[in-house]
Amino acid sequence: MPTHAYLCIAVLAAAPLWSQVAPSAEPAASGPPPSDDQRMVTPAPVGGEGYSLAFSSEERGNYLRAGLTLLSAYNDNLFTGTNGRPTSDVSYAIMPTIALDLFRSRVDGSLSYRPGFTFYQKASSYNESDQNLALNLKFRLSPHVSLSLRDSLQKTSNIFSQSILGPTSVSGSPQQPNDSVIAPLASVLRNTGSAQIEYQFRANAMVGAGGTFSNLHYPNPTQVPGLSDQSSRGGSAFYTARLSRRHYIGVTYQYQMLLASPNQIQNETQTHSVLLFYTVYLQPTLSVSFFGGPQHSDTEQKGLPPSRSWSPSTGVSAGWQGKRSSLAVAYSRTITDGGGLPGAVHAYTASAALRQQFTRSLSAGLGVSYSNNKVLDSLISPNIGGHSISGNVTLQYALGQHFDVAVGYMRLHQSYGNIPAISTTPNRNQASVSLSYQFRRPLGR
């Protein structure tokens, strides 16, 4: 595990000592304006947290949570066999979970760890073990200064199996890792993280700065012909002003260094963008954001002259949290990492997610996404790119206080004719059923 992940765990372990007072109503970056007219929130285009799909009525607090999920799934196209036909199989998974939730006056966040063990009925050679570690912390260093830390580490051989319960959030930020390219049954190691500090220096004005990183690594390149390792580093700074209680405007500068390594040849793209943004809170739990501006890219490929270009970066997003319903939608057009493709890409992405609670015990979730990726200035092999469309639906029923059962269906379609790892399995359908047990124990008072 990377050293910074251990440091994040140590920080969270010490966090309960910061404050033992009652929690305050600290809003999320994409949440409603605070009841305190003096404190500003961070608009979604520069917040980084995304729109949560949690219901406004769901309780927040200080808890230690643990649980176990047993899952069985049928996949109609696990991989393409030697005869060129899709091979279907049934899998069984065991996924324990442990998590720590904190909601205090000076620290708000969570840490979760979920390993997984998957066994296939016929293709036993693809049996796998997964690792998932996620951290999200926000510290109030003073009444007007806050610090946010986020980190996610994922090791898996089947990205498709990670979304069995549907999405938990939708991003409204233009600076997000590209996870739309999915290689079936390939060992993948992903690590993403960010840090951001914000200072409200006036009653209606705030500045902030931060950095992001992401790494994508395929330990066995022979499993993913046509795909390559990726890494990115970035930094940003923003200024935002509150025109009224519900209206925010601002400007942000963003820098990215995007690296790809196809066939052991490194491609590097650097981008600079200046974006204007506007967020309006139509209701206390409903917000809409827009951003747009010029983006400059500078691409270098070994043995080829550098390529420079200007293009627009634009996006719109919205989020709503009700007592029994939640909805989030987002669209963006920007230059980002290739997500495994051999270089940075022009990415057009759209996503939407919905959660609905019908009764105290019955709830459902729905998620859809579309992405179109085209590699920038691909002089070595032009027209590399394609599109992905995915959707999932989940129905969950609580069997008492600690148990619940869920059924789900997911479909993935990918069209990347130049990428053998994907073109051989363009369509996948998966149906699943799971049984989960979870308990939580309050921390402190």
Side-chain angles (χ1 to χ4, degrees):
M1 186 182 297
T3 302
H4 66 271
Y6 286 113
L7 293 176
C8 290
I9 295 173
V11 169
L12 187 62
L17 302 179
W18 280 48
S19 174
Q20 294 295 328
V21 300
S24 64
E26 180 74 20
S30 58
S35 56
D36 180 0
D37 288 340
Q38 296 301 314
R39 198 189 315 168
M40 296 175 64
V41 291
T42 310
V46 291
E49 287 187 63
Y51 296 93
S52 172
L53 290 175
F55 302 140
S56 61
S57 58
E58 288 182 324
E59 181 182 1
R60 298 184 65 190
N62 303 285
Y63 296 102
L64 173 65
R65 296 185 288 110
L68 178 68
T69 298
L70 304 177
L71 173 103
S72 179
Y74 169 78
N75 194 309
D76 72 339
N77 193 2
L78 196 64
F79 59 89
T80 300
T82 55
N83 58 4
R85 296 179 179 178
T87 298
S88 60
D89 203 353
V90 176
S91 62
Y92 307 94
I94 303 172
M95 294 173 288
T97 302
I98 185 168
L100 181 64
D101 297 330
L102 293 174
F103 185 40
R104 300 183 182 275
S105 60
R106 293 184 60 185
V107 60
D108 181 11
S110 64
L111 170 67
S112 64
Y113 172 59
R114 191 189 73 185
F117 308 91
T118 303
F119 309 92
Y120 293 94
Q121 192 174 76
K122 294 185 293 185
S124 58
S125 60
Y126 289 96
N127 293 350
E128 62 180 10
S129 62
D130 300 334
Q131 304 291 334
N132 290 273
L133 177 66
L135 178 141
N136 190 340
L137 276 180
K138 187 169 186 178
F139 297 96
R140 290 194 65 203
L141 304 180
S142 76
H144 304 291
V145 180
S146 63
L147 172 67
S148 300
L149 300 173
R150 303 179 188 91
D151 191 78
S152 173
L153 178 66
Q154 182 183 71
K155 175 185 175 295
T156 183
S157 296
N158 186 3
I159 294 291
F160 198 55
S161 68
Q162 300 306 307
S163 302
I164 56 171
L165 296 180
T168 58
S169 65
V170 170
S171 174
S173 171
Q175 202 172 47
Q176 290 292 322
N178 185 354
D179 58 1
S180 63
V181 181
I182 300 176
L185 286 182
S187 297
V188 178
L189 180 64
R190 291 179 180 269
N191 191 200
T192 63
S194 66
Q196 181 164 296
I197 190 165
E198 303 162 1
Y199 171 46
Q200 183 179 345
F201 62 95
R202 292 181 187 170
N204 294 300
M206 176 191 292
V207 294
T212 63
F213 73 88
S214 69
N215 292 311
L216 170 64
H217 174 57
Y218 298 104
N220 188 352
T222 60
Q223 296 177 334
V224 288
L227 297 178
S228 63
D229 290 353
Q230 311 270 309
S231 67
S232 68
R233 303 291 184 272
S236 63
F238 73 87
Y239 165 83
T240 182
R242 179 170 52 184
L243 303 180
S244 68
R245 176 174 168 79
R246 298 187 180 277
H247 299 271
Y248 287 66
I249 62 169
V251 61
T252 179
Y253 163 77
Q254 297 182 341
Y255 165 80
Q256 295 181 102
M257 177 182 286
L258 311 171
L259 302 175
S261 305
N263 302 317
Q264 307 301 316
I265 300 175
Q266 181 168 284
N267 296 337
E268 177 182 312
T269 297
Q270 297 187 49
T271 69
H272 303 265
S273 56
V274 177
L275 308 175
L276 301 177
F277 61 87
Y278 166 68
T279 296
V280 55
Y281 294 91
L282 301 174
Q283 296 178 4
T285 57
L286 172 62
S287 65
V288 181
S289 294
F290 305 85
F291 70 83
Q295 188 173 30
H296 179 263
S297 65
D298 186 345
T299 300
E300 295 185 3
Q301 301 175 346
K302 186 175 181 179
L304 296 172
S307 175
R308 298 177 176 87
S309 66
W310 287 92
S311 62
S313 177
T314 59
V316 58
S317 61
W320 172 61
Q321 289 179 301
K323 290 184 177 180
R324 292 192 171 186
S325 304
S326 61
L327 172 68
V329 296
Y331 166 81
S332 67
R333 178 197 190 278
T334 189
I335 295 173
T336 184
D337 67 273
L341 299 178
V345 298
H346 278 293
Y348 301 80
T349 61
S351 59
L354 169 70
R355 281 187 70 207
Q356 176 67 50
Q357 185 177 19
F358 300 106
T359 68
R360 185 179 181 88
S361 301
L362 183 64
S363 62
L366 175 68
V368 294
S369 66
Y370 169 81
S371 63
N372 190 308
N373 299 294
K374 184 178 180 181
V375 174
L376 288 178
D377 306 308
S378 184
L379 303 179
I380 297 177
S381 180
N383 301 319
I384 293 180
H387 67 269
S388 304
I389 304 173
S390 65
N392 67 76
V393 59
T394 304
L395 195 64
Q396 190 170 7
Y397 185 80
L399 303 173
Q401 184 177 359
H402 300 289
F403 289 91
D404 64 70
V405 62
V407 294
Y409 168 76
M410 292 187 292
R411 176 172 174 80
L412 172 67
H413 166 74
Q414 298 186 102
S415 177
Y416 291 90
N418 304 85
I419 308 298
I422 299 176
S423 60
T424 56
T425 53
N427 301 305
R428 304 179 73 185
N429 295 276
Q430 180 170 289
S432 63
V433 58
S434 65
L435 176 66
S436 300
Y437 168 79
Q438 186 175 110
F439 76 90
R440 63 182 186 179
R441 178 179 179 180
L443 299 174
R445 291 183 292 180

